Amino acid sequence: ASTPVRNTAGSRQGCAMGSLLFCAGYHHVLRETKAHFPTVVIQAIVDDTRIIGPPRDAWDAFLFSTNLAHQHCNLESVRKKCSVYSPQADLSFLPSTLPGSPSFPGSEHYPPGRLSGVEVCGVLTGDHEWIEQRLVDLVAKKTDDLRRLALVQDGTKFTNATQIQYILARYCVTAFINFTLRAHPASLTQRAALAFDAAVDSFIAHLCVSAAATPRERADATRLARLPNRLGGLSLTSAVDQRIPAFLGS
């Protein structure tokens, strides 16, 4: 007969089986929670779990699932990463320690009181002004990578800095804005798209334009760089131009 071996150390960092094994154990917790609280909807990507439904039912389901996860998986919920969002429902019964509760005093990562919105699988939902500003802030954070990328220079041994800059800009930085434009209505992405295009314009100028270029030459270089590869461009497409097609195409 085989002898069971208890894994008390967990999988190694980067192990491809880590997430799969976690999901296999955690799935039982989610199924049991759903069975006890049929009025809620449970969404989970690995350990990132959301419980959607009437506030009191969702709160009770949350407490039930965290207790069950501790019993069956020895899994502790990090409460400072938990939050609640509802624009109008009565949340007065929630503890003041929970972000999003009307009595929450605020913290480093959350404002006091009710939340203006929430992120679900990378998509923002909530107050429109909050979504617009949040997207602008995310663009500022992502495009700061372009500023650092522009600092890459050729060395004595490797002289392919320009190629590295282009590849990382094309396939890493721009991937974020493509998802953002597909996932949010065009009416909410205008400011973020303008900010993104301005950052990319500066990067194109660094990549392709000499300091002696005239404003007309700089503008021509930007237009050329925004063309697809097959037309001789760099495929650094304008986010402003792509807003409506991207959202409709999604």
Side-chain angles (χ1 to χ4, degrees):
S2 59
T3 302
V5 177
R6 292 183 58 84
N7 183 354
T8 59
S11 59
R12 293 180 180 273
Q13 182 70 27
C15 174
M17 288 293 291
S19 297
L20 180 61
L21 292 174
F22 176 89
C23 292
Y26 188 48
H27 187 62
H28 168 73
V29 174
L30 301 180
R31 287 175 61 89
E32 283 293 308
T33 302
K34 176 61 179 176
H36 281 77
F37 299 91
T39 59
V40 304
V41 174
I42 302 176
Q43 298 177 339
I45 300 179
V46 193
D47 63 337
D48 189 1
T49 307
R50 289 173 178 82
I51 301 176
I52 305 167
R56 288 188 180 274
D57 292 352
W59 175 245
D60 290 340
F62 167 75
L63 296 177
F64 178 87
S65 66
T66 54
N67 289 333
L68 195 63
H70 178 70
Q71 294 173 13
H72 286 268
C73 307
N74 198 28
L75 182 66
E76 295 287 347
S77 175
V78 181
R79 291 301 178 92
K80 66 179 181 181
K81 291 186 177 181
C82 302
S83 63
V84 60
Y85 169 70
S86 178
Q88 296 178 337
D90 178 21
L91 303 178
S92 59
F93 63 92
L94 294 172
S96 61
T97 54
L98 182 67
S101 166
S103 56
F104 181 68
S107 67
E108 179 183 358
H109 301 290
Y110 291 98
R114 287 178 180 264
L115 297 179
S116 298
V118 66
E119 181 178 331
V120 181
C121 299
V123 180
L124 303 177
T125 182
D127 179 76
H128 285 185
E129 291 184 2
W130 176 81
I131 294 175
E132 285 189 85
Q133 186 58 51
R134 178 67 176 154
L135 290 175
V136 170
D137 294 341
L138 289 173
V139 163
K141 182 178 179 181
K142 289 292 184 180
T143 53
D144 190 53
D145 293 338
L146 289 176
R147 180 187 60 80
R148 293 196 294 270
L149 189 57
L151 300 177
V152 177
Q153 296 180 347
D154 288 334
T156 56
K157 187 174 181 181
F158 298 101
T159 57
N160 51 0
T162 300
Q163 292 91 330
I164 292 172
Q165 289 172 331
Y166 163 65
I167 290 172
L168 291 178
R170 171 72 176 86
Y171 294 102
C172 298
V173 178
T174 58
F176 155 76
I177 197 66
N178 292 338
F179 173 80
T180 299
L181 297 178
R182 291 196 302 268
H184 301 89
S187 59
L188 301 180
T189 57
Q190 172 77 5
R191 290 172 54 203
L194 286 169
F196 183 84
D197 280 358
V200 173
D201 285 352
S202 297
F203 182 76
I204 291 173
H206 162 80
L207 196 66
C208 308
V209 183
S210 70
T214 65
R216 172 67 180 273
E217 291 171 334
R218 292 171 65 93
D220 288 344
T222 299
R223 283 194 292 270
L224 178 60
R226 292 199 179 284
L227 291 174
N229 290 139
R230 64 181 180 274
L231 297 179
L234 298 180
S235 290
L236 297 175
T237 329
S238 167
V240 171
D241 293 344
Q242 292 296 316
R243 285 183 312 117
I244 295 177
F247 184 67
L248 292 178
S250 68

